[in-house]
Amino acid sequence: MYLKRISFILCILFISMFTVHSAQASGVFVDIPKQDEAFEEINYLVNLGVIKGYTEKGKMYYKPNNNVTRGQAAKMVVVASGNKPLVVHTSSFSDVKAGSELSGYVERAVQLGFFKTNTKGQFLPNKPLTRDEMSYVLTKAFKLDTSEYENSDSPFIDVTINHPYVTYVNTIYYNGVTKGSNQKYNPNEQVTRKQFALFVARAKNEKYRLDVPVKGMATPDASQIIGLVAATTDGLNIRKSKDTSSATNIVGTAHKGGILSVHAVEGDWLKVSNKGSFAYIYKTYTQFLDADGNALGNVQKQVTTTQNIKLYVKPTTSSKVISTVNSKVTLPVYKMVDGYYLTVVNDLPGYIVMNSTEDAVVENPSNPNPTPPSFSGDLLGRATVDNLNIRKEANATSTVVSKLKKGEYVQVNRINGYWAQVTYKGQEGYIHKSYIKLLNQSDHPLKDRVIIIDPGHGGTDSGNTFGTIYEKDVVLKVSKLVERKLAATGANVLMTRTDDVYPTLPDRVDFTNVNYGEIFVSIHANSVLNNTTANGTETFYAMTSGDKQESIDLATFVNNQIVNDLKMRNRGVKNEQFYVIRNTIIPAILVELGFLTNSEDRAKLTDDHYIELFAESIYKGIVEYYSKQ
């Protein structure tokens, strides 16, 4: 009887062991069948105590398609990483109750740096975990090395190099934790319980990791990046080489605002990194950004180098050197960052050490009450009117000490506001600078010239329109490019507007006067109702604006450059009494680039390649004007 009882117990034990083994073999959860892609990983984590399911009507469910919350993720990664929960008496977060099971895991996860928390003292435990957050959590929890993946483009088209989680996305990708979908990472999507189990298992155990390209064999060296650019148009082709003749050479496209890392400038092409290899894009359709991926904005001031200096990719001397800059070179300043100036050299943005420069005396465009400029240099002034008074002091009532004939030259020693201190036949005096053309003799013709660029219309005044195309937008885009080109030469460029706002016409004239403008260029686009054949470029001057010949010269140079460079119909240079040009006493012109109502002109006015050419032509016309002695 005793032996029978022992045999019975052993039989029951054997059956029990077999039943447990069979349950594990078939899986813990009824909604995760053996053929499921996550079957092995989920059961691996169950055996480690990392995850639990839900018991309903005597059956265990994992509910794989439910979103995993931040609180659930905190517990899972604490357990999976071999850590224990904290004993919490006072919660660090208003939305996590002290003493609860969740509290211990949340406090431990935060203590170990697995999560970023907000500044309002909340953990948001019930908020679904997003894929970008997930990349950070797994990288930190499983101590994945990020050093190889910093400052590098991700292999995904929706995670740009300036994305806040790009380093962590790169890290989990190159460690075989995730491969994304259709070249996208979908950083803002919520993570399901099934996905997170897969990711945790892969991060913890190399057995489950995916096969991925070896970083460094396919991806360009991130340390050699010299800058960032944003596409300024949709559908910008990314090519394997600088060959535009073959459609098979196109390996992708960048949409407007998309950011790429630049490794080299090769003529009109930029060598960029794309999906783990080098590629090329056309420079015309891009805009360089600062190291943080932001637009450069407006020139704040100018500085002159006091020694030979280096131009760095980032505001630190430990970053890559883009180029060297000689002493006594004047550079535009867009921003000041921790002892460095953001500037542009040969069209490339970079950072220079502030204390290796001194301020060039020019105006801050953002200052409504600028200090009058003052400088000395090899500068001549040519009288643009007859009987021009040279006065003893810098005011209109001072004694006249001499007079100039139109076309005569004086040596300009310094400028203060609208007054130039000059030397004429050995005698010093003052001339209102609006009546002399200032001509640099040794520097770039535009260096220190005060040039006012006026993008027409703006704000509630759209100007001419065609469907959803607004004149105010077209001319602002052109104007900003003109401003950048002029500023790169050392010119002091000021814009009457830099955003979608509307300065009144008197405001624009007052802005010109208060900033002591030397030439004024207003940029517009034309339109004719019920006439789609009218086309071409025309440029206007006003008979009352200073010496009309200077305005005619400036208008002619700009108009001809546009006509020749863009193959526009030449509608000529004309006299017209537009408010903004008739109320200035300096050379002033108003450019009508083309007609929005004409299909050929409109195609150019809405094409970034031609927008660049419009800007380049205006810039070249201004250079030509100042080059004429």
Side-chain angles (χ1 to χ4, degrees):
M1 187 70 162
Y2 177 76
L3 290 174
K4 286 183 178 181
R5 179 175 294 180
I6 293 294
S7 298
F8 178 75
I9 292 173
L10 288 173
C11 182
I12 293 298
L13 181 60
F14 175 79
I15 293 172
S16 176
M17 290 174 61
F18 179 79
T19 302
V20 171
H21 175 75
S22 298
Q24 289 180 342
S26 60
V28 175
F29 305 110
V30 296
D31 54 353
I32 302 293
K34 191 171 183 178
Q35 62 270 26
D36 192 287
E37 64 169 334
F39 175 86
E40 187 174 350
E41 288 87 343
I42 287 175
N43 284 284
Y44 163 71
L45 295 179
V46 168
N47 291 333
L48 291 178
V50 173
I51 56 179
K52 296 180 180 179
Y54 302 86
T55 303
E56 294 179 0
K57 298 180 179 179
K59 295 182 179 180
M60 289 289 290
Y61 292 87
Y62 183 64
K63 299 189 178 181
N65 297 321
N66 285 7
N67 292 327
V68 66
T69 66
R70 283 167 55 88
Q72 292 169 341
K75 180 178 179 180
M76 290 172 69
V77 293
V78 166
V79 175
S81 61
N83 290 284
K84 302 290 185 182
L86 286 176
V87 177
V88 180
H89 300 292
T90 303
S91 178
S92 302
F93 307 100
S94 61
D95 53 358
V96 180
K97 184 179 179 181
S100 64
E101 180 189 40
L102 177 63
S103 178
Y105 288 105
V106 165
E107 295 283 350
R108 178 65 83 185
V110 172
Q111 180 196 61
L112 293 170
F114 297 171
F115 282 79
K116 292 182 178 181
T117 55
N118 65 33
T119 57
K120 297 180 180 180
Q122 296 179 314
F123 182 76
L124 306 176
N126 298 317
K127 179 179 178 290
L129 187 73
T130 57
R131 287 175 59 85
D132 53 5
E133 291 178 314
M134 177 269 292
S135 68
Y136 181 89
V137 171
L138 296 185
T139 298
K140 294 295 184 180
F142 298 99
K143 297 181 173 60
L144 302 179
D145 185 5
T146 63
S147 60
E148 291 185 57
Y149 315 112
E150 295 174 351
N151 305 314
S152 177
D153 280 319
S154 82
F156 305 108
I157 61 176
D158 55 355
V159 180
T160 59
I161 195 170
N162 66 327
H163 190 285
Y165 289 91
V166 64
T167 296
Y168 307 104
V169 171
N170 288 344
T171 300
I172 64 170
Y173 171 75
Y174 286 110
N175 277 278
V177 174
T178 184
K179 60 182 178 181
S181 176
N182 296 321
Q183 300 180 351
K184 291 186 177 182
Y185 181 71
N186 301 311
N188 299 319
E189 280 192 4
Q190 297 169 356
V191 183
T192 66
R193 285 169 54 82
K194 174 179 172 178
Q195 290 170 337
F196 196 60
L198 283 168
F199 300 147
V200 170
R202 293 168 186 165
K204 182 173 177 61
N205 191 331
E206 293 190 8
K207 169 186 175 181
Y208 299 109
R209 293 190 183 180
L210 305 169
D211 293 326
V212 292
V214 178
K215 179 74 169 67
M217 291 182 63
T219 303
D221 186 353
S223 67
Q224 299 306 304
I225 292 170
I226 63 172
L228 303 175
V229 291
T232 56
T233 186
D234 280 326
L236 172 60
N237 288 326
I238 303 172
R239 302 175 184 272
K240 287 187 292 186
S241 65
K242 294 177 286 186
D243 175 15
T244 60
S245 62
S246 172
T248 60
N249 194 40
I250 298 173
V251 294
T253 57
H255 295 296
K256 187 174 183 179
I259 298 177
L260 298 100
S261 301
V262 179
H263 290 258
V265 180
E266 300 179 6
D268 292 332
W269 294 87
L270 299 177
K271 186 178 183 179
V272 299
S273 48
N274 175 64
K275 300 175 187 174
S277 61
F278 285 122
Y280 290 87
I281 57 175
Y282 200 50
K283 183 171 68 174
T284 299
Y285 303 112
T286 65
Q287 177 184 12
F288 272 99
L289 308 172
D290 66 15
D292 297 320
N294 300 315
L296 301 189
N298 296 319
V299 175
Q300 299 299 306
K301 65 174 185 175
Q302 294 178 36
V303 293
T304 301
T305 57
T306 57
Q307 55 190 286
N308 293 346
I309 62 173
K310 295 177 180 178
L311 181 72
Y312 297 97
V313 171
K314 296 182 179 181
T316 170
T317 55
S318 63
S319 73
K320 179 177 174 58
V321 176
I322 301 173
S323 63
T324 57
V325 184
N326 293 332
S327 179
K328 297 183 180 179
V329 173
T330 299
L331 299 171
V333 172
Y334 293 88
K335 188 186 297 182
M336 289 160 273
V337 183
D338 298 331
Y340 291 80
Y341 285 132
L342 171 62
T343 187
V344 171
V345 177
N346 296 327
D347 291 334
L348 280 173
Y351 296 83
I352 57 175
V353 178
M354 287 174 60
N355 61 17
S356 61
T357 68
E358 61 184 11
D359 283 358
V361 185
V362 293
E363 302 310 318
N364 185 335
S366 66
N367 185 354
N369 299 300
T371 303
S374 176
F375 62 91
S376 60
D378 191 9
L379 182 65
L380 292 182
R382 175 169 57 79
T384 59
V385 295
D386 267 325
N387 297 313
L388 177 59
N389 292 325
I390 303 178
R391 297 184 180 273
K392 184 177 181 179
E393 297 177 355
N395 64 73
T397 60
S398 179
T399 303
V400 175
V401 297
S402 189
K403 287 183 179 290
L404 291 178
K405 295 179 181 179
K406 182 177 179 179
E408 281 194 283
Y409 291 87
V410 293
Q411 175 66 45
V412 179
N413 304 317
R414 63 188 298 272
I415 292 176
N416 191 329
Y418 263 133
W419 290 93
Q421 200 242 16
V422 303
T423 300
Y424 176 64
K425 296 181 178 180
Q427 183 178 30
E428 291 188 351
Y430 293 86
I431 295 176
H432 198 287
K433 74 169 184 176
S434 297
Y435 302 112
I436 56 175
K437 183 177 182 180
L438 296 168
L439 301 166
N440 293 325
Q441 299 303 293
S442 57
D443 290 314
H444 192 283
L446 301 186
K447 183 178 182 296
D448 295 321
R449 301 286 56 82
V450 184
I451 300 172
I452 309 298
I453 301 297
D454 173 44
H457 308 283
T460 56
D461 178 9
S462 298
N464 292 314
T465 63
F466 186 89
T468 58
I469 304 168
Y470 301 132
E471 177 186 1
K472 65 175 182 177
D473 297 330
V474 172
V475 300
L476 181 60
K477 184 181 290 188
V478 173
S479 297
K480 285 184 174 181
L481 289 174
V482 174
E483 186 268 343
R484 288 183 61 185
K485 292 173 183 293
L486 295 171
T489 69
N492 180 18
V493 193
L494 301 104
M495 292 176 62
T496 58
R497 69 180 181 96
T498 59
D499 208 340
D500 188 19
V501 296
Y502 176 68
T504 65
L505 301 183
D507 285 342
R508 298 171 199 249
V509 174
D510 290 345
F511 178 86
T512 302
N513 293 334
V514 78
N515 285 291
Y516 315 111
E518 294 169 6
I519 65 169
F520 176 93
V521 179
S522 189
I523 302 176
H524 292 257
N526 233 327
S527 178
V528 178
L529 293 177
N530 303 318
N531 184 353
T532 60
T533 61
N535 69 322
T537 299
E538 55 191 352
T539 306
F540 299 93
Y541 64 93
M543 292 290 289
T544 56
S545 59
D547 176 62
K548 70 174 183 180
Q549 189 56 50
E550 294 300 314
S551 294
I552 292 172
D553 286 350
L554 177 59
T556 301
F557 292 140
V558 169
N559 194 81
N560 289 348
Q561 288 285 355
I562 296 173
V563 168
N564 293 333
D565 292 350
L566 287 97
K567 311 302 180 190
M568 301 290 288
R569 176 192 171 199
N570 189 353
R571 298 175 64 90
V573 171
K574 306 172 182 178
N575 171 40
E576 187 67 56
Q577 299 303 300
F578 292 118
Y579 186 98
V580 289
I581 56 176
R582 80 168 187 263
N583 285 287
T584 61
I585 57 172
I586 59 175
I589 64 173
L590 188 149
V591 186
E592 293 281 6
L593 302 173
F595 286 75
L596 287 175
T597 44
N598 177 264
S599 60
E600 292 184 8
D601 282 9
R602 184 170 64 252
K604 294 178 180 178
L605 290 167
T606 55
D607 185 307
D608 283 342
H609 172 66
Y610 285 98
I611 289 290
E612 170 76 23
L613 289 179
F614 277 119
E616 180 71 12
S617 299
I618 294 171
Y619 161 75
K620 286 161 60 178
I622 294 171
V623 172
E624 188 176 1
Y625 169 77
Y626 272 110
S627 298
K628 180 184 177 183
Q629 297 287 308

